[in-house]
Amino acid sequence: MSLEKYKDRNIGNQNYKLIGHEAFPQTNGEKFERVMKRMVKGELFVGLWVTVRTMFEALFKGQMHTTKYPFEKLPISPRYRAIHEMLRLLESGHYRCIGCGLCEQICISDCIRMDTRYDENQRKEVSEYTINFGRCIFCGYCAEVCPELAIVHGPRYETSSEQRASFSLFEDMLTPIDALKHQKEYPGFGAVSPNADENIKKTPLAY
Amino acid sequence: MSSNEITVKIDGKECKSVEGEYILNVARANDIFIPAICYLTRCSPTLACRICLVEADGKRVYACNAKVKDGMEVTVTNEEILQERRAIMEVYDVNHPLQCGVCDQSGECELQNYTLELAVDSQSYAIPDTIRQNKNWSDVLHYDAGLCIVCERCVTVCKDMIGDSAIKTGPRGGEALPKDLKDTMPKDAYAMWNKLQKSIIVPSNGTDFTDCSDCGECTAVCPVGALVSRDFVYKSNAWELKRIPATCAHCSSGCQIYYETKHTSISDPTEKIYRVTNEWNYVSLCGAGRFGYDFENRVQGKDEEAFALAIKAFETAQSIKFNSAITNEEAFMLQRLKEKLGVKLINHDAKAFKDFLTSYAKASGKGLYGGDLKEVMKSDFVISVGASLRNDNPNARYAFNHVQKMNKGAGLYFHPVGDTLVSTFGKSVEIFTHQVGQEELALYLILDLFADKERLDDEIKEYLASFHRHEKRIIKEKIMEEVSQSVTDKETGETKEVIKKVPKTIEKEIEVEVNGLVEMLGGNDAFYENFEKMKSKKESFSLIIGEDLYYHPHLHNLSRLVALIEEVCGMTLVMIPPRTNSLGVAMICDLDEEESGYVIGYNEHGHFRLGSRGFSKLDIPALNQQEGTFTNINKRVVPTNAALDYHGYELNDILNALGIGMRQTIDFTPQLGRIEGFKSQNFDDLPNGYTNAGEELRGYALEVVEVNKEEIKVVKFNESIVINEGEIAYRCNPQRQFNDFTDRSSQINEEFGAYVSPNKAKELGEEIEVIFEQGQSFKLKVIVDDRMQGDIIAIPDYKSYQNVYGVFGRDRYKKVTIKKV
């Protein structure tokens, strides 16, 4: 390939083209004339029309689009990681947490602690559970590691408080038993993937 | 055991070993991994899991029970073996609950590890499950049969190490395996499953509860979460616990343990010990070591007022009384106080032991006894004299049992208190329940039985011969007599003469040699015959002696006899120090006989008490809150660490106030080197662990110093000290109780009372008053010890404030009067 085209650095010979425009106003009279011409063009109202129409609809037709936060809140993505919730089993109402301690272990800001004990029914009982929200960084590892989907992230994102350390106990996070029918299965961070069934090998049963 | 060095190749790596060693142990010692579940290093191979399958010289063998031969080539893994192992792990996973999240093994699970290691990611077998109930076997043992994989490690350790044999495999009631599997499944996996499907672990006495010493070793060896101590069930995950290597503070064994600590609860961030674990392949704990851990002394802070009083007390004190549940460093500090302040040091247990040791040293020319418990474990004939084996030192008992179970050994047990457990250790165990005071006779009998007669003095030879006599005895003998009978054949009608052999008992008079010593010691008639069998093919002999000899009116003669036995019988000798650090205290401190004047009690009675039990005037840390070293029965100086923090004053602070302290207590550790036998090593340089080959890397071994040997003759036995009538009290702790620390531990609930045999209990009723000759008396509850025999009453000494040591003085047996209350 010849490089001559690139070696020609004489740009003065290129063909520029001037766009024609009106002559600049010279006298004060001409200047005033141009200002007036531009000002009273009807096109201004073509643009404003959308605003005016929406204003009209909002004020008189009840089609207001503003969310009145904090009285109203927008729905939030299920993958958003806000204040934790503890879920219950839908069938029995018993809390899902088995006290395995994985969330406590994986927590990188070390803000989860739990006490467990051997209860009268020979089960592992979670006697107390706490999260220090002053320290929690809402990374979502606890929800991801939870084998029972017991601890999940809820939609409550207002985390400001009067104290730096704000603890939450088990009871505070647990779905109230009377609200159990409203408890939704958690689709967010750490939930089972929709095609999970395809990825597992089934264990044979002899019954 | 022959010590021929041989070389084997495992997976191409040349390994040196000795003949008779198992392939698995050789591999482990050389950092080669062979999977194995059911094998325990010091126990007999169980062959339950079959996963240690390897190929040795082209043949499939189990690494845990195949011995190495010179030039052997071992392949750990090939495709076939891997298939077999995978099938075994799949079978173990059949019906195993998948709730690993709540299991107390919390990831320290061998089932989980090997399942992952062998990449088992699918299950090809299935069988209907059987209902298996959770059971509490005792105050401390919890068995979750649902999790059990029946590897039988618990059964093996209980039999081969502990000697209780309290558990066994029982019927599971599971369904039989599908027939077609036999042909389609890998062979070993099928055999293992067949056995697994039939068994489960049950207490061996047929009830729902184990009758054992509650040592909890079964919970330690369990590879899954099936056996857990009741206190720990669902308390904590293993990964949350901080492991602190330490040394058990309770008896003179000084076992290596780990204190495992964590915060108490959400609302209480103070550290708490949750459990004690051990390197169960190399050391076995007793119930006190495993469950007696919460004896710490919690103090709020430094009590300056009490400290000032303490300083004043030390300035005016004339004696310091203490016991041997202290570290070497504390003993050294007390010795320093003696040098500086001129106080007397009073320590009952160490004084008696020291007197015995000194006397022994003069007779033997050695500062310390020659053997340790590890050597005892390797011997094949073990003798115990003067030790209540079950109570004085659990590890001595484990060694005694181990010799019987593993080395096909034999044993003699001399003790005035009958014991039904020791005789169950093996068939070749002979029990001598002799009278109190006859310990010398026992040693003479040992001389008679084992000594190389050439090396004995004529005087002793004559003395021993004087016990022998010949007697005519009528014995019954069974012989086979030939009798001719006429028999008619039914089919042919012919009559035949048939000669038949019929057993017949005849009486025969023979002359037998009778050993008067055996008779006097209460041995049974058949002993002499049995003894020949017991002694045949035995190569190494060991002798364990205990506290009875140190607290004996003739302790000097006994110590000389012991030295003589060690010399002329070629025996491994071990002396059981009476308490945790009696050996250390005896070596470090210059002890005095009698207390006088103003007495400071250091963990003991006194006018001014320093102690870790809470009711003292000045608190000092308990042994799980202290750094320092102990000198244990194996003549090792072993380090222990502080598991919990302590905010009050300690002995070093007092020394500092008096101007003779160091910056820290452990700064005294290198100073121990000034004492003969000890080394100048910094505390932080002392290791505390075991290698894969089972080598003990803990602290350092004491040097046995040579001393001037004096020619002292042993004297003949004098009957005057024998106590053979009236009620006898014996100073002896129940199992799992050793000192104030075990007393304070919440899981050790053996009470303070009079321990008696079941028969004696019937006679005594519920409560008695034991009155001593000098007038002291104890009101005690009668507690039955199933394993005791005879009429002697055991009175515990573990509560220092009861001053039982003081009452017994320089005796371990006392004549007493008993009143029923």
Side-chain angles (χ1 to χ4, degrees):
Chain A
M1 200 178 95
S2 129
L3 296 173
E4 266 170 37
K5 199 165 108 192
Y6 302 99
K7 284 179 182 165
D8 179 15
R9 291 186 178 80
N10 188 5
I11 54 167
N13 293 340
Q14 286 169 8
N15 297 321
Y16 290 104
K17 202 177 172 185
L18 283 172
I19 303 165
H21 58 81
E22 274 176 53
F24 289 103
Q26 300 297 322
T27 62
N28 284 343
E30 279 169 1
K31 279 178 188 166
F32 180 75
E33 192 185 339
R34 194 173 76 164
V35 168
M36 289 315 289
K37 230 188 214 167
R38 286 180 177 180
M39 260 180 64
V40 297
K41 246 182 183 169
E43 278 169 19
L44 178 68
F45 298 97
V46 176
L48 267 176
W49 167 239
V50 176
T51 314
V52 172
R53 189 184 63 203
T54 309
M55 189 175 78
F56 182 79
E57 279 172 359
L59 290 177
F60 305 108
K61 289 189 169 174
Q63 288 176 3
M64 183 75 97
H65 286 274
T66 313
T67 310
K68 288 178 189 154
Y69 183 85
F71 308 109
E72 285 175 12
K73 282 169 199 166
L74 287 174
I76 203 153
S77 154
R79 295 189 71 81
Y80 191 81
R81 305 189 298 262
I83 295 283
H84 306 71
E85 277 175 1
M86 295 295 240
L87 302 186
R88 288 181 189 269
L89 290 167
L90 292 172
E91 299 88 340
S92 65
H94 195 274
Y95 56 79
R96 287 184 182 183
C97 178
I98 55 167
C100 69
L102 287 178
C103 48
E104 188 182 8
Q105 173 64 6
I106 205 166
C107 180
I108 51 172
S109 50
D110 199 12
C111 65
I112 301 180
R113 264 198 185 174
M114 65 199 319
D115 291 344
T116 54
R117 65 177 205 105
Y118 185 61
D119 77 357
E120 293 68 30
N121 305 319
Q122 305 188 334
R123 292 178 68 95
K124 193 174 192 174
E125 184 194 288
V126 183
S127 43
E128 195 49 276
Y129 188 104
T130 172
I131 298 179
N132 178 354
F133 286 118
R135 226 195 248 174
C136 180
I137 59 162
F138 301 97
C139 63
Y141 281 0
C142 49
E144 193 179 2
V145 80
C146 183
E148 301 288 317
L149 273 186
I151 184 165
V152 300
H153 283 291
R156 239 184 81 203
Y157 46 77
E158 295 105 328
T159 48
S160 65
S161 73
E162 287 159 4
Q163 283 179 314
R164 185 177 273 268
S166 173
F167 290 88
S168 220
L169 297 177
F170 199 41
E171 284 288 299
D172 307 333
M173 293 179 277
L174 197 60
T175 313
I177 193 76
D178 50 331
L180 183 61
K181 55 179 185 284
H182 303 300
Q183 182 183 293
K184 295 254 167 52
E185 195 44 75
Y186 174 70
F189 206 56
V192 183
S193 65
N195 64 341
D197 272 354
E198 296 159 23
N199 295 334
I200 55 165
K201 292 178 189 167
K202 281 192 178 136
T203 302
L205 280 174
Y207 301 101
Chain B
M1 215 181 279
S2 63
S3 56
N4 306 338
E5 271 228 342
I6 53 166
T7 320
V8 287
K9 253 188 183 176
I10 304 177
D11 266 359
K13 188 179 174 184
E14 294 232 341
C15 307
K16 284 217 163 75
S17 178
V18 288
E19 221 163 84
E21 189 59 279
Y22 295 125
I23 297 174
L24 184 61
N25 283 338
V26 178
R28 283 181 178 177
N30 287 285
D31 286 335
I32 299 166
F33 174 67
I34 300 178
I37 297 180
C38 71
Y39 182 69
L40 290 166
T41 300
R42 296 170 304 164
C43 298
S44 51
T46 320
L47 282 186
C49 75
R50 290 162 186 256
I51 201 172
C52 66
L53 193 69
V54 293
E55 211 175 82
D57 291 338
K59 256 185 7 197
R60 272 165 70 156
V61 295
Y62 304 107
C64 71
N65 86 332
K67 289 176 178 168
V68 285
K69 285 183 206 131
D70 200 13
M72 193 183 242
E73 286 199 20
V74 180
T75 319
V76 175
T77 312
N78 62 28
E79 199 39 55
E80 245 173 66
I81 291 176
L82 210 56
Q83 234 175 16
E84 194 80 65
R85 285 198 193 131
R86 247 182 226 144
I88 291 172
M89 285 326 293
E90 271 183 48
V91 166
Y92 271 137
D93 289 333
V94 171
N95 293 337
H96 190 91
L98 290 174
Q99 288 101 3
C100 293
V102 292
C103 176
D104 274 314
Q105 205 68 5
S106 50
E108 292 184 339
C109 171
E110 288 178 40
L111 181 70
Q112 213 176 60
N113 288 353
Y114 284 121
T115 303
L116 296 172
E117 167 74 27
L118 295 166
V120 174
D121 60 354
S122 63
Q123 179 61 271
S124 19
Y125 310 108
I127 200 157
D129 205 354
T130 30
I131 295 174
R132 287 169 278 162
Q133 300 284 353
N134 281 0
K135 296 237 166 76
N136 286 332
W137 281 344
S138 76
D139 285 347
V140 290
L141 302 177
H142 175 85
Y143 178 59
D144 188 340
L147 298 173
C148 180
I149 59 168
V150 202
C151 66
E152 296 178 42
R153 264 193 346 206
C154 48
V155 179
T156 311
V157 82
C158 194
K159 186 176 91 229
D160 289 346
M161 281 311 308
I162 309 302
D164 278 333
S165 303
I167 42 179
K168 60 171 187 185
T169 49
R172 182 196 191 101
E175 256 178 56
L177 299 186
K179 288 235 168 59
D180 55 315
L181 275 181
K182 192 167 188 179
D183 307 320
T184 53
M185 243 179 113
K187 201 174 95 250
D188 280 291
Y190 179 82
M192 177 238 123
W193 196 8
N194 205 6
K195 200 171 155 211
L196 172 73
Q197 194 57 20
K198 283 174 188 156
S199 46
I200 201 82
I201 310 295
V202 292
S204 54
N205 55 3
T207 65
D208 277 348
F209 302 99
T210 51
D211 172 28
C212 67
S213 55
D214 277 344
C215 68
E217 196 63 15
C218 48
T219 63
V221 299
C222 187
V224 291
L227 266 163
V228 181
S229 89
R230 275 177 73 178
D231 183 63
F232 188 70
V233 177
Y234 294 162
K235 273 274 176 67
S236 172
N237 284 313
W239 61 68
E240 295 173 77
L241 300 167
K242 196 167 86 191
R243 299 184 96 197
I244 294 142
T247 298
C248 174
H250 296 321
C251 85
S252 50
S253 297
C255 300
Q256 199 241 9
I257 55 169
Y258 294 100
Y259 289 117
E260 304 211 347
T261 64
K262 192 181 97 164
H263 56 262
T264 309
S265 68
I266 285 173
S267 48
D268 182 2
T270 45
E271 289 282 299
K272 176 183 141 183
I273 300 175
Y274 276 74
R275 65 172 175 182
V276 163
T277 51
N278 60 326
E279 298 277 5
W280 38 263
N281 267 317
Y282 314 118
V283 59
S284 297
L285 299 186
C286 68
R290 187 170 304 284
F291 300 111
Y293 51 74
D294 50 348
F295 54 84
E296 68 275 3
N297 184 18
R298 296 217 189 266
V299 290
Q300 295 307 316
K302 294 192 190 259
D303 185 351
E304 283 169 31
E305 225 168 275
F307 186 67
L309 283 175
I311 298 295
K312 222 177 252 174
F314 269 93
E315 278 163 354
T316 52
Q318 276 163 301
S319 319
I320 301 175
K321 195 175 166 190
F322 62 109
N323 61 41
S324 296
I326 58 171
T327 60
N328 289 329
E329 285 71 15
E330 282 175 285
F332 191 84
M333 284 190 257
L334 290 170
Q335 176 63 20
R336 208 169 224 209
L337 279 173
K338 176 176 182 162
E339 284 158 16
K340 166 92 180 173
L341 305 174
V343 289
K344 285 181 174 179
L345 291 183
I346 310 297
N347 182 326
H348 275 301
D349 56 282
K351 176 70 179 151
F353 190 51
K354 185 170 186 160
D355 288 350
F356 191 87
L357 270 177
T358 324
S359 183
Y360 163 83
K362 275 184 196 162
S364 69
K366 286 184 297 180
L368 277 174
Y369 46 94
D372 58 36
L373 286 180
K374 279 197 168 162
E375 285 171 49
V376 173
M377 279 203 181
K378 283 182 197 150
S379 68
D380 48 20
F381 201 118
V382 57
I383 305 161
S384 159
V385 183
S388 177
L389 216 47
R390 223 158 28 92
N391 314 65
D392 286 359
N393 183 314
N395 261 282
R397 161 199 158 174
Y398 297 164
F400 194 102
N401 170 58
H402 192 260
V403 169
Q404 313 308 323
K405 299 279 167 52
M406 297 302 295
N407 307 348
K408 291 184 189 125
L412 299 178
Y413 179 68
F414 296 91
H415 202 258
V417 183
D419 193 307
T420 53
L421 181 74
V422 178
S423 54
T424 64
F425 287 166
K427 279 176 193 157
S428 311
V429 177
E430 206 56 56
I431 309 269
F432 286 89
T433 312
H434 58 79
Q435 283 163 0
V436 176
Q438 282 184 327
E439 285 78 9
E440 279 157 290
L441 278 186
L443 294 178
Y444 272 120
L445 178 63
I446 296 168
L447 266 181
D448 190 26
L449 296 173
F450 297 95
D452 181 1
K453 293 275 161 44
E454 301 296 303
R455 296 173 65 187
L456 284 178
D457 283 348
D458 289 341
E459 216 174 301
I460 301 172
K461 258 194 269 183
E462 264 170 47
Y463 182 56
L464 290 177
S466 71
F467 291 104
H468 287 257
R469 61 174 196 278
H470 290 272
E471 246 178 35
K472 284 189 176 159
R473 282 205 188 157
I474 294 166
I475 56 157
K476 285 179 180 170
E477 203 176 28
K478 263 189 187 171
I479 54 158
M480 300 303 272
E481 203 182 30
E482 289 187 356
V483 183
S484 61
Q485 267 183 322
S486 52
V487 178
T488 319
D489 199 314
K490 277 177 188 168
E491 285 175 18
T492 55
E494 276 176 56
T495 310
K496 265 188 193 169
E497 283 284 299
V498 181
I499 293 172
K500 270 192 176 175
K501 281 190 175 176
V502 180
K504 195 185 164 190
T505 321
I506 56 158
E507 288 188 350
K508 203 172 153 189
E509 196 185 57
I510 49 157
E511 203 179 58
V512 285
E513 196 188 344
V514 180
N515 190 339
L517 285 166
V518 176
E519 276 183 347
M520 285 163 85
L521 287 164
N524 69 37
D525 260 2
F527 172 72
Y528 230 67
E529 252 172 76
N530 291 346
F531 181 71
E532 286 312 311
K533 247 185 266 166
M534 282 164 75
K535 205 186 164 187
S536 71
K537 288 187 194 161
K538 300 295 187 294
E539 282 166 357
S540 49
F541 302 86
S542 51
L543 174 66
I544 301 170
I545 61 165
E547 212 177 324
D548 293 11
L549 304 195
Y550 323 143
Y551 287 91
H552 195 281
H554 294 169
L555 76 98
H556 296 291
N557 193 38
L558 282 165
S559 66
R560 285 166 209 152
L561 272 170
V562 166
L564 184 65
I565 291 175
E566 192 185 14
E567 196 186 323
V568 299
C569 305
M571 284 195 182
T572 304
L573 173 68
V574 175
M575 299 182 190
I576 301 176
R579 291 220 168 179
T580 313
N581 200 13
S582 295
L583 180 56
V585 174
M587 290 179 78
I588 293 162
C589 295
D590 201 1
L591 299 168
D592 296 278
E593 202 76 52
E594 284 291 317
E595 62 198 59
S596 63
Y598 190 78
V599 181
I600 290 182
Y602 192 75
N603 276 325
E604 279 284 346
H605 251 314
H607 297 111
F608 187 89
R609 266 205 314 264
L610 285 88
S612 49
R613 276 226 52 174
F615 46 72
S616 308
K617 287 181 187 156
L618 181 69
D619 283 299
I620 53 170
L623 282 177
N624 55 6
Q625 297 168 300
Q626 279 193 63
E627 290 179 309
T629 57
F630 295 118
T631 313
N632 72 4
I633 186 172
N634 294 335
K635 299 178 293 182
R636 279 193 99 87
V637 177
V638 290
T640 186
N641 287 306
L644 304 169
D645 29 336
Y646 179 76
H647 305 293
Y649 288 104
E650 51 183 14
L651 187 58
N652 188 30
D653 295 325
I654 290 170
L655 261 76
N656 272 323
L658 295 169
I660 47 171
M662 303 275 271
R663 202 173 69 82
Q664 280 178 320
T665 301
I666 52 164
D667 291 335
F668 283 104
T669 314
Q671 302 237 352
L672 289 171
R674 290 190 205 165
I675 296 150
E676 273 197 328
F678 286 87
K679 288 182 188 166
S680 282
Q681 279 201 14
N682 283 329
F683 178 80
D684 291 334
D685 298 337
L686 298 177
N688 196 6
Y690 289 85
T691 63
N692 270 354
E695 196 193 339
E696 187 176 9
L697 296 180
R698 299 180 59 208
Y700 58 85
L702 281 181
E703 232 170 273
V704 178
V705 205
E706 293 206 357
V707 292
N708 282 337
K709 192 172 170 178
E710 289 173 28
E711 283 299 324
I712 319 164
K713 292 217 162 135
V714 292
V715 295
K716 288 177 183 171
F717 171 62
N718 181 349
E719 257 190 35
S720 63
I721 51 157
V722 172
I723 312 175
N724 50 12
E725 54 187 13
E727 301 284 359
I728 301 167
Y730 174 46
R731 180 172 55 68
C732 180
N733 286 320
Q735 294 184 61
R736 305 206 302 158
Q737 287 286 19
F738 291 99
N739 46 36
D740 287 324
F741 297 136
T742 50
D743 183 27
R744 195 174 182 174
S745 304
S746 58
Q747 286 186 86
I748 295 183
N749 30 33
E750 278 83 352
E751 284 176 83
F752 191 83
Y755 284 79
V756 296
S757 63
N759 283 336
K760 186 75 181 169
K762 275 179 209 156
E763 190 190 307
L764 291 177
E766 283 191 357
E767 208 183 345
I768 51 169
E769 192 178 359
V770 182
I771 305 158
F772 286 78
E773 277 169 349
Q774 292 85 0
Q776 304 99 324
S777 73
F778 290 103
K779 263 193 189 170
L780 297 168
K781 201 177 144 191
V782 175
I783 302 164
V784 182
D785 184 339
D786 289 339
R787 287 161 171 184
M788 268 172 84
Q789 268 182 331
D791 289 336
I792 295 177
I793 297 161
I795 298 178
D797 59 35
Y798 66 87
K799 279 185 196 272
S800 64
Y801 74 87
Q802 297 275 10
N803 198 22
V804 177
Y805 259 102
V807 172
F808 274 85
R810 284 304 287 264
D811 292 304
R812 208 176 168 188
Y813 296 90
K814 278 271 186 198
K815 269 190 187 173
V816 290
T817 334
I818 291 175
K819 264 200 226 160
K820 285 185 202 173
V821 179

